[in-house]
Amino acid sequence: MALTGRAALVAAIGSVPVGILEPGWAGILAVNGPLALACACDFALAAPVRRLVLSRSGDTSTRLGETADVTLTITNPSRRLLRARLRDAWPPSSWQEGTEIGGSRHRVTVPAGERRRVTTRLRPTRRGDRQADRVTIRSYGPLGLFSRQGAHKVPWTVRVLPPFTSRKHLPSRLARLRELDGRTSVLTRGEGTEFDSLREYVPGDDTRSIDWRATARQTTVAVRTWRPERDRHILLVLDTGRTSAGRVGDVPRLDASLDAALLLAALASRAGDRVDLLAYDRRVRALVQGRSAGDVLPSLVNAMATLEPELVETDARGLTATALRTAPRSSLIVLLTTLDAAPVEQGLLPVLPQLTKRHTVLVASVADPHVARMAQARGNVDAVYEAAAAAQAQSERQRTAEQLRRHGVTVVDATPDDLAPALADAYLALKAAGRL
């Protein structure tokens, strides 16, 4: 009967013809010979790595801060049992700190002619595309003394989307929008530019809204109600130049701008307006146009996922020219950029009349909450100097904002947590005032 496994290996070791070796070698091989033979047999019994067939399946996208599961299928076409350790390598930003080793290394046992699956759970720490590198497999023999090792390229990409944390503010802004649109009964109706309906006068109504002709035909006083215009065009312009790379808290300014833009896009699309996106520094980094209301938000999120700040000075003239080509008719242009004095005064202000001549312009900027805390600091000499520097920085931002307002621009300057709701409120205010 043929021996297999450990029994065959013991029989082979026991049959080494030590007596026929030259003098001097007998003692060495008496110890090392069996070990060498054991390693050779272990290596021979290890399943080959190159013949393995690997494929992937699973998630192709996830939001920043959430997990993505990518499944690796290992097929063993050989006649030997595969006992292996494998490492599924991904970029370092695919993991939270301290979790990479446990998440990417697996032990697998695959019988001959069968397949097994292992799952790698990613938790990316940055937006953008995360691409799998390679799968390294170490195949062991039955004794674990020797192994074969090889690597396979198994392509897969997981797109990490913006987290859209500001969506928690959407229900309250939609309720306000319904009030402006006349779908909720309120004492003071929003005044737009499109006639909506007639209703009975209630105390608190603007007397200028009374329709005297309709009142004359009935026994009660009738007032006209208005609703904001629909199908307006909104162009979101993201400045991706060097100022967007500055970090406020734990994230770049660009990420806070993306979050605010997503909330405004979700709100405006619900209001029946058309939303486009332009990301620009010295050239177009992203452009989303002509999407339907149901498709605009997924398209914006997908386009924003790969945006990164560019360490170049933004070309304000090129940005303005591209925005005018993208919005040929009267639109609301929302420019998410900096309020630092030098970029605005030297870049934006000289070309701003080209935008305000035809469009309504809103500038939104991310303020650093640390500056506000510094301005309140007291107690020692260092704190007083910090407070003076912070007060000077705040004064410069206010002066820059006032220059923009003198050109008819609406300015929103808020911290990262407050920028998105403040921008949505500014949009609703323009709707209520009939400017949009």
Side-chain angles (χ1 to χ4, degrees):
M1 181 177 65
L3 299 177
T4 60
R6 292 179 181 269
L9 185 59
V10 171
I13 294 174
S15 62
V16 176
V18 177
I20 65 174
L21 297 176
E22 295 182 4
W25 287 99
I28 297 174
L29 289 184
V31 176
N32 296 330
L35 179 60
L37 184 59
C39 290
C41 293
D42 207 38
F43 176 79
L45 293 175
V49 174
R50 294 183 181 276
R51 295 179 58 190
L52 298 176
V53 179
L54 281 71
S55 61
R56 292 189 187 273
S57 60
D59 297 331
T60 57
S61 65
T62 185
R63 291 193 181 277
L64 183 63
E66 299 179 359
T67 59
D69 291 337
V70 180
T71 299
L72 185 67
T73 302
I74 306 102
T75 303
N76 179 15
S78 71
R79 297 181 179 180
R80 302 170 192 163
L81 175 68
L82 173 67
R83 309 170 186 85
R85 294 180 180 178
L86 68 83
R87 180 173 184 264
D88 188 5
W90 291 77
S93 58
S94 302
W95 319 89
Q96 282 186 325
E97 185 177 356
T99 63
E100 185 270 337
I101 293 180
S104 65
R105 298 176 187 262
H106 308 273
R107 288 179 177 268
V108 292
T109 302
V110 186
E114 297 187 15
R115 67 182 64 180
R116 293 292 185 270
R117 294 183 177 88
V118 296
T119 299
T120 300
R121 173 159 291 181
L122 309 177
R123 187 181 287 273
T125 58
R126 291 179 56 189
R127 289 182 295 101
D129 290 339
R130 298 292 167 265
Q131 297 179 345
D133 185 4
R134 65 182 63 191
V135 179
T136 303
I137 301 177
R138 181 173 293 176
S139 173
Y140 292 90
L143 297 179
L145 299 175
F146 215 90
S147 63
R148 304 169 184 260
Q149 181 169 308
H152 290 257
K153 280 283 188 179
V154 191
W156 194 260
T157 300
V158 175
R159 174 156 290 189
V160 187
L161 307 173
F164 193 14
T165 55
S166 63
R167 61 180 177 270
K168 62 187 177 184
H169 299 290
L170 186 58
S172 61
R173 271 59 189 181
L174 287 176
R176 174 59 179 156
L177 179 64
R178 286 192 293 269
E179 293 178 1
L180 294 178
D181 204 23
R183 284 174 285 190
T184 300
S185 298
V186 290
L187 291 180
T188 303
R189 302 293 294 274
E191 292 186 4
T193 56
E194 290 186 359
F195 174 74
D196 183 22
S197 60
L198 292 171
R199 63 171 174 83
E200 185 176 347
Y201 174 85
V202 295
D205 282 335
D206 189 344
T207 55
R208 293 173 296 179
S209 298
I210 296 176
D211 189 318
W212 296 107
R213 292 186 178 181
T215 301
R217 294 193 298 266
Q218 57 189 33
T219 58
T220 58
V221 177
V223 295
R224 294 185 296 269
T225 61
W226 307 83
R227 65 180 180 186
E229 289 189 28
R230 293 176 173 272
D231 199 30
R232 307 296 292 174
H233 181 227
I234 298 175
L235 177 61
L236 302 173
V237 181
L238 291 169
D239 179 358
T240 56
R242 66 168 183 82
T243 56
S244 67
R247 299 185 73 84
V248 179
D250 295 330
V251 297
R253 294 178 186 270
L254 179 60
D255 286 43
S257 298
L258 296 180
D259 196 50
L262 286 175
L263 179 63
L264 178 57
L267 181 62
S269 61
R270 297 285 188 92
D273 292 334
R274 295 174 291 112
V275 182
D276 292 339
L277 170 72
L278 169 66
Y280 192 95
D281 41 72
R282 288 188 175 272
R283 63 181 180 87
V284 176
R285 301 292 177 177
L287 181 61
V288 178
Q289 284 182 290
R291 297 295 192 272
S292 63
D295 188 48
V296 64
L297 201 59
S299 299
L300 294 183
V301 169
N302 192 57
M304 291 175 177
T306 56
L307 285 178
E308 294 292 343
E310 300 292 332
L311 299 182
V312 296
E313 197 71 39
T314 300
D315 179 10
R317 293 186 181 278
L319 184 149
T320 301
T322 306
L324 290 174
R325 288 195 301 269
T326 308
R329 293 180 293 177
S330 178
S331 308
L332 171 64
I333 295 182
V334 180
L335 176 57
L336 294 115
T337 185
T338 181
L339 280 181
D340 293 346
V344 173
E345 293 176 356
Q346 299 174 16
L348 182 59
L349 284 179
V351 298
L352 191 58
Q354 300 178 37
L355 292 175
T356 56
K357 180 179 179 180
R358 186 188 308 171
H359 305 290
T360 301
V361 180
L362 191 158
V363 171
S365 181
V366 182
D368 191 344
H370 182 62
V371 175
R373 291 193 294 270
M374 287 175 56
Q376 302 298 323
R378 298 292 188 275
N380 55 52
V381 174
D382 291 339
V384 171
Y385 275 110
E386 288 183 356
Q392 182 179 1
Q394 290 176 329
S395 176
E396 289 181 355
R397 288 181 70 88
Q398 293 171 1
R399 182 173 59 84
T400 303
E402 189 58 36
Q403 287 180 300
L404 293 172
R405 292 188 181 99
R406 284 199 293 266
H407 284 78
V409 175
T410 301
V411 178
V412 175
D413 185 21
T415 60
D417 292 338
D418 298 331
L419 181 64
L423 183 58
D425 289 341
Y427 165 79
L428 293 174
L430 290 174
K431 279 279 191 185
R435 296 180 57 190
L436 181 60

